[in-house]
Each structure stands twice: as structure tokens, then as C-alpha cells.
Amino acid sequence: MNERERLKKIIIDLSYEKRKVTLASGRESDFYFDGKQTTLHPEGGYLTGKLFFAAIADVADIEGVGGLTLGADPIATATAVVSFLEGRPIPAFIIRKEPKGHGTGAWLEGRKNLRPGARVVIVEDVVTTGGSSMKAVRRAEEEGLKVLGVVTLVDREEVVRENFEKEAYWLK
């Protein structure tokens, strides 16, 4: 079993549930996906980092990888660790849902690892319409970063690709 097949098995075993749910987009679905169950698993996290790094390895000059807390946190961290092990270190960052309530009032954690205008990729555990991803894109850009595209663990394939392409971002 190759790494992609192994990760898919972990996703099915730990993150997929057949049941009716209302998604963040407001849509109803007959299945639920909790990516954190996979990305916080030792092997699942490692394989996620490895495959996400492979997905962006051909993109020139990536300087950061991150997304909205909480789903993106383990993915960005795993990808950053794998990038270091592969000899091409890419720092992780986290975008808060609200600015820090004290101290610096920061929206973005890991800022000191990123220069102004840094070329970054947004990571997600699951995308449906892309609403959460676009929030991350907008916030990253407001923080002075240059977003290249989005990489996701699971694409529900519900028009999200078209939504990103209209905005000139790619989705992997």
C-alpha cells in the first residue's frame, strides 16, 4: 500500500462518518468528515505532511504554509516539519478566527517567520464551497502575504474549484 492509499484508509477509518449533517456552508450532507482525527493521528499527521509537501514541491518560492485555526494547524505544522526533513524548510503559520484579545492583538501566528509579501499556500482539512478557505486567503492578504493557492485533504467537489479559479487561486 503506498502512502496515498494508506492515508486514505486512515481518513476512512478515523475521519469519515456516514450520517446527515449541516455543513459550515449551510448545506446538508449525508456524510461528515472530521479531518482532525486523521491529522492529529501519528501516522495520519506524518502522511498528511508528506503528501501536502509533495503537492506544493513543484510550486516555486513558497515561503509559508498555513490556514484558519483549528483544522489547518496540524496540517501546516506537519507540512513544515516534513519540508525541513526534505531540506526545503517552509515555515507554518496560523490565522486566528478573531484577533488575539491581549498583547499584540495579532491575527496571524508565526509572523516572524514570514517577510512582508511572502508567497504562501493555504491548507485545509476539508473544503465544500471554499468559504472558510477564502476567509483565510483574505486575512492572509490583509496581513501582507501573497496567497498562491489552496491545498486540501478532502474536496467535497461541490463547486469549490470554480470558486477559487474565479478568484485566480488554484486548488490541489
Side-chain angles (χ1 to χ4, degrees):
M1 184 177 300
N2 68 31
E3 291 170 338
R4 181 175 294 279
E5 291 166 345
R6 179 63 188 143
L7 181 59
K8 185 177 179 181
K9 180 173 180 357
I10 294 169
I11 289 169
I12 291 168
D13 290 349
L14 298 179
S15 294
Y16 175 83
E17 294 178 33
K18 183 84 170 141
R19 63 180 170 102
K20 288 228 178 268
V21 294
T22 301
L23 306 171
S25 66
R27 295 176 182 216
E28 287 194 4
S29 176
D30 62 354
F31 73 92
Y32 179 69
F33 175 79
D34 180 0
K36 291 176 290 303
Q37 300 307 314
T38 293
T39 60
L40 292 170
H41 179 272
E43 184 181 9
Y46 171 71
L47 291 172
T48 297
K50 225 173 154 190
L51 293 171
F52 271 62
F53 178 73
I56 61 174
D58 64 339
V59 180
D61 304 322
I62 292 178
E63 300 171 85
V65 58
L68 283 179
T69 197
L70 184 68
D73 299 358
I75 297 170
T77 301
T79 304
V81 169
V82 168
S83 75
F84 176 80
L85 294 172
E86 294 291 329
R88 186 177 164 205
I90 302 169
F93 64 92
I94 297 168
I95 301 171
R96 293 174 171 275
K97 292 189 179 166
E98 296 180 12
K100 193 172 179 180
H102 57 283
T104 62
W107 279 94
L108 196 133
E109 297 297 336
R111 162 57 77 196
K112 290 184 179 183
N113 296 317
L114 302 168
R115 68 170 182 82
R119 296 166 46 94
V120 302
V121 172
I122 299 299
V123 295
E124 284 275 13
D125 58 351
V126 63
V127 293
T128 303
T129 63
S132 294
S133 300
M134 286 310 295
K135 280 184 193 175
V137 166
R138 299 288 181 244
R139 176 53 58 194
E141 290 178 340
E142 288 168 8
E143 294 295 315
L145 304 175
K146 169 68 175 140
V147 177
L148 304 173
V150 177
V151 181
T152 187
L153 191 59
V154 172
D155 177 358
R156 287 176 157 271
E157 298 180 348
E158 296 184 27
V159 306
V160 70
R161 187 169 306 280
E162 295 83 13
N163 291 346
F164 283 118
E165 288 171 357
K166 278 191 276 185
E167 300 280 337
Y169 303 105
W170 45 258
L171 175 69
K172 292 187 178 193

